[in-house]
Each structure stands twice: as C-alpha cells, then as structure tokens.
Amino acid sequence: MRDAQFGELPFLKYDNVVETCVYSPDGTSFAVLSDNTINVYSTSNWEKTWISSGHSSVAYSPNGDRIVSGSRDTSVRVWDVATGECRCIFIGHTSAIRSVTYSPQGTVVASRSGDGTVRLWDLEAAGCRSTISECGFILDMVFSPKGNTIALGSDDCRVRLWDVASGECRSILVGHTGSVSTIAYSAQGDLLISKDNASVVRVWEVGTGACRHVLEGDQCVVLSPRGNQMAFFNWYTKEAALWDVETGACVRKLSGHMGRIYGMAYSPQGDQIVSGGDDKEVRVWDVETGECRQTMTGHTGTVRKVLFSPKGDCIASASSDKIVRLWNVGPGSSRKISNHHSGGVINLKYSPKQNQVASCSADSTIRLWDAETGDYSCTLTGHSGCVSTIAYSPQEDQLASCSEDRTVRLWDVESGGCLHILTGHTEYVSDVAFSLRGDQIASASRDSTVRLWNVSTGECQHILTGHRDNARVVIYSVQGGQVASSSADGTIRLWDVETGDCHHSLTGHMMKVNRIVYSPNDSQIASASDDKTVRLWDVRTGMCTGIFIGHQGYVTRVVYSPQGHQVASSSREDKTVRLWDTESGECRHTLVGHQQSIHAIAYSPRGNLLASWSDFGEGRLWHFATGECVWTLNHDGLTPSEGHLLLHPFVWISHDVDSFITGDGGGSVRRWDVIKEDDQYRVQMRWRSTNGQLTVEGACVQDVQGLNELHRRLLKQRGATGEPSVPLREAGKKVMAMTSVVSHLKSSSLNTEELNLSLTLAANSFTSHSEQTEQVMDAGAFEG
C-alpha cells in the first residue's frame, strides 16, 4: 500500500475524461459527467445510485431534489435525484446543449445551445418562457442572486443583462476586446465580474453599467461567497492572486503550483481556496495568510476542476487522468499546517550553534528545523518565487536567501522576521554567501553581475561586472578577504571585498563553470565545468595548476576533502563520482553504481565517508580510502513530473558522529544517522517531516482493525491486499505501526458518536503523538 494520504476517500474512475462534477446543495448527492453519461452518487457511502447517458451538461436544483441535464440530442431534461426518473423534457433548441443552470428560486431553467440561443424554461408551466438570440455566440450565462436577471457573455466582446420576466435586454456592458468566456455576480448582485480570452478581467457596476476595475487574469476567475474578493491565475507571474472587489487591489498571492492553474474554488465559509492545475496537485490555501495548508497528490494528469462540498468538509478534484479524487478536509485536517514543504526542497544548510537545519524550496518558503528532534519551528515567507539557496551568517543568528523573484532577503533566525529586502538585480538571483565577519553578503545573478551588500544597512556597496553571461556561484575565501564567482561564460573571477576590484579572471574552461570551491587552506580553487573537466587554480597568481580529465559528461559538483589533499567530483551524465589526488592529479577511485543523475556529493566532517545522492532519491555512502560503497538506499520511489526535477540536496550536520540531512523533490526533509558496527555500516532514519501520506509495504486490509467498507475500498485502491499473507505476519512491525494508531484511537475518548477510523483521524493522532515527526525503522528495510 503506497502513498495513501490522510483524509483521502476512495476515488472514482472512468473510461473517458471527466467533463464536470458537482455536489448537490445539501451535499448528500454528487454528480459526475463523463463520456456524455451522468453518474449520480450518494455521498454517505459513495455508491452509485443511478446513471443516464446522452448528456453534455448537468446542474442541481437549489433544493437538491432535481437534476437538469442538457443533451446532444438538443433536449433539456429534468430528473428526480432520488429515483433517477425523468420528470420533464423540454424541446426547442436546434443544436446540442452546451450548459444548463437553475435560477436561485428553482422555478426557471436556462439552457445554452450551439444554435446560438439561450432559452428560459418555466418549470411550473413546463414550457419555454423566452428565447434569447442575436447576441453572437454565447459562451457563459449566470442568474443574478435574486433570479430576476440573467447575464450572458459572448464572442462579440459584450456582456448583456436580460430581464427574466420580460425576456428583454436591460443593458449591454461594452469594453472587452476579446470573447467574454466567464461571468459571475457578487453575492449582493450589485457587481458583475467578466473575463475575456485576452486575459482581461473587468468589474462592472450592475446599476450604472460603469466599469469599476480592469485587471489581468488568465484563468479561473472565481468570487468569494460574500462577493468581496475574487481569485484568478495569472500566467505571466505564474501565481494565483486574491483581489479586493471594491478597491481592485491585490491583497494576497498564492505561490506554490509549478505550472498553470485550471481550477479554483472558495470554501463555503470563504476562509479557504482549493486549486488544481497541470502540476497534477490539489492545494488548499488559507485566504487570510495566503499559506498553503495542504497539498494532495495522486492525480497523474492535469487537474481541471476542483470544488468544496457545501459543508466545506470534503474536496473533489477531476483530472485528465479520468479520475475524480475525493478528500476529507474536515476540522482538524484542512486547518492543520503540515510541516512539509509544498514544493521540492532546493537547498539545505546546517547551523551547529543552533543545532538547526534550514531548508528552502520551490514553494517560495524557508523552513527551520531542530536537527536533533526534527521539530519544525517556523516558516519564513516573503519571497514570491522559488528560493534558490540560503546561507547562515558566521554568528548563525541571521540567514540570507535568494530567489527567482530577483531579491535577496536577510532574516532573523530567532524571530523569523525579515530584516532587509535587497533589491537591484534584474534577473533570477542564483547564489548568496556571507563574509567571514558576517558584515557583508555577496549575491550572484543571471543578470551577469555580483553584488556586495552591507548587512547592517541593506545597501549595495559594490556591483561587480565583467562576466559576459549568468553569474552562477559566489563564495568567500576561507580567510574572507576575497570573493570568487563563476559564470556560464566559462570564467572564474576573484574580487577584492573592500574595493570590488577584480584581482584575476581565471580562463581555460571551454564551457560554463557549474561549481567552485576554495581549498581548506585557501591556496587553491577547484572548479567543475560542462567541458567535462575539473581544474585547480592558484589563488595568488590566478594560474591553472591542474586539469583532471576522465568524466564522460558535464561535471556538475566538486568538493574538497576536509584535509584538502583530495577532491571529489561528480557528473550528472556519466553518473559517476571521481576522487582525485590534488598533488599528483591522479584519479584514485571512480565510484560507479548510481542508476540516476547525481545531484549532490559531500565529505563527512571527519573525512572518513563521502555521500552521493541522485535526483530520484538513490543515496550512497563510500569509504574515503578504498572507494568502496558501504551503503545504498532508494528511499522515496518518486517519479519525475513534467518540468520538475526531483532534486535531493544534502548536508552533513555533526563533527562528532556521522549524521546527515536530505531533502527531496516531494518537499520532505529527513535526518539519517550512520552507525558503524564492526566493519559494517548501517544507516537509519531518525526523523522525517510529515506530508500527510502513509506507505506500508505488503499491507493487508484484514490486519488493520476497525475500518469500515469505505476505507477498505481506499486501501485496496492503494494496493493493499484483501487476505492476510504469511510475509506480512513475519514483517508485522511495519503494519502494526499503523494498527497501533488505530488501536489507540479505539481506546481514546474522542467524543464522537461513531469513531471514524479514516486516515484523517489516524493522521491527526499520529502527528500529535509523534511531535510532527515520523519515528521509523532502519533505513535498510525502508522504502518511501
């Protein structure tokens, strides 16, 4: 059983793409339209109650006892939700029905057809009340809250307001320059929101027809339940934004999705937003803070539609993978902040004085962890783009971060407050470093410059120019009097920290320089390049003193051993690590075994071990002297998603014992302890940040006590077997970890009428009793 997520319900799978899905207003029924077939479910057990084929659109009546459907045969039909019987058929359109909707009072149904007309049907008289035509091709329609007006958006760039009683056009709103594809009324009905295919959103005063605001929005314009706020996605900024309807001001940005958002919806209370897009994730956001509260995964295709249940306790998501996934996000679940990053972990740094680990992520945040216990202390928010790297000050009381939002931020570690925002770079800031005294910060950017900043004031002291392409890496010398930078132009430059003068330009690499590092005694710099070589440089003269040739692909990482007499290098393409003698230039060992591209290498502080980690979670430890692989693990089983590298940063954290921290592309942070027993090494995971998922190898449904039939269906969908198995009994410790949670819940008094042993409750208990960390078995027997 793999990746069962806390709060997840059994999913609904279809043979064709899901066109839409909708809850009944009372939340007791759920309809899915797929392959022109309406599938209606009872939400009490998610069993299908009836189906009907031949339909292209569906909507519930306000009281939830009827469903109206539009058909490709040009008819509009009204169905009894309880029995599935057809109560009424309306005929009149001459082309397939595109959409249908009820008026708020439930007395009128509107249907939009490919014949270019909208028809209003009187349910009491069982006839057509009026036909609206000559409005261009109508793309969207919506009733006003009182039901006396219907608004239409069309391809002639206009919004028209029609009187439902008379069938006459009240007003025409002019201003859009593209087809109007989305419209919505505010809760009071005094404002109307419209969006065109030119990504322009307009806010109109219904009474006067005046345009109050003009905004840019690419997808998913939705209004809050109170109508005071709207949310939409902007492709150019790759963010969802929340806007105040009255002022037209952006009040919050939601950063974390790795691609376009196609579906958004407010919770009934208006305090949360759910979103989904082509990164295949479903995210729940806090409207007040803009923080991502929960990330749900499992879809293998673009998430096209998301919605809350009427009570706000469940979420449904429909994807191009032909699956509707259902999530329980009731009290204690959706409001809980997971300590897990919602995007891939990009970089890690360790603070010995604080015994703290800082992680930065593609979700635009930095998180601080207790290295010993894994306790999560705080999240540093403020960046509006992926945080590319972080650095502790020498005193370890401050943290610097840089981001693709073109800024550098300085943070107070104790309070988590932002001390300075350093602006000036005109492109992505790729690296940042503190000086030896901690009074200066250096930053490197894709704008080809390096900047030196005063830590106290936040002012830029020097702009270092000379690189002809992206400045990729910046580091201070061990003694602190010099800054080195590497660039995609194939050069390395050495700068004076006081004057900003360039001491040397180190040339020789034929392609971009990916990494540079000073030797422990400050006399040399080692560099790794796409030209497949490693070079050693004399810092004093700027001369190349050694060229190490052997890699068969781009060399992406280079590190010195703690004593400085050995250099390790790795290549993403040839998937090897090479150990070089710095005096003779001889390759002492070629470490072979990785099956995936190597992302990180690092010597242990004592220099006895070298760690290497691949993009997809394959970790290896190598003996420093012999080059022998003493331990290997593929711990997460992640698969690559479109446009998203599963990076695995790595940092050793102790000089006394061999322990290290890793981060992965799924947002998790883990601590591992290396234990030597005789001549054998064993590695065990001490803690892991929780992500609301549970994986148990060889799980059997019968071995987990107290589950109802709904939860059994979920476990079987996730790969649990139906009958007990001998191997599971023999490896019972793995499963009993989950069983013990269930047993604890059964013996606890939770003041509930029926103890719900869903994974939601299990998650809440598991997290609270383990202090937000997962205590796990030896890593040698652990997967995922």
Side-chain angles (χ1 to χ4, degrees), residues 450-502:
V450 173
R451 288 178 177 249
L452 304 183
W453 311 84
N454 184 292
V455 168
S456 297
T457 65
E459 295 179 354
C460 181
Q461 295 174 315
H462 300 289
I463 302 175
L464 313 182
T465 60
H467 286 300
R468 299 186 305 277
D469 206 337
N470 301 344
R472 299 174 59 84
V473 179
V474 61
I475 55 173
Y476 279 90
S477 62
V478 177
Q479 300 301 320
Q482 190 179 73
V483 164
S485 60
S486 68
S487 169
D489 65 10
T491 68
I492 302 157
R493 286 180 174 262
L494 308 183
W495 313 86
D496 186 284
V497 298
E498 296 296 334
T499 65
D501 294 336
C502 181

Side-chain angles (χ1 to χ4, degrees), residues 6 16 28 32 35 148 212 243 248 334 347 393 410 451 522 546 561 684 703 720 724:
F6 300 135
N16 290 281
T28 61
V32 178
D35 195 24
N148 58 337
R212 180 177 291 185
W243 299 79
S334 65
N347 194 249
S393 66
L410 186 63
R451 288 178 177 249
D522 238 6
S561 65
Q684 68 180 28
D703 284 286

Side-chain angles (χ1 to χ4, degrees), residues 383-395:
H383 282 296
S384 59
C386 170
V387 183
S388 47
T389 195
I390 48 181
Y392 277 101
S393 66
Q395 297 76 24

Side-chain angles (χ1 to χ4, degrees), residues 739-779:
T739 307
S740 64
V741 172
V742 175
S743 299
H744 179 82
L745 284 169
K746 292 181 71 176
S747 63
S748 300
S749 173
L750 298 179
N751 298 320
T752 56
E753 294 181 4
E754 178 182 357
L755 184 59
N756 180 0
L757 293 179
S758 70
L759 295 179
T760 304
L761 277 177
N764 296 338
S765 176
F766 192 78
T767 303
S768 63
H769 288 281
S770 61
E771 301 296 331
Q772 297 184 326
T773 61
E774 295 180 15
Q775 308 299 327
V776 296
M777 69 294 293
D778 285 356

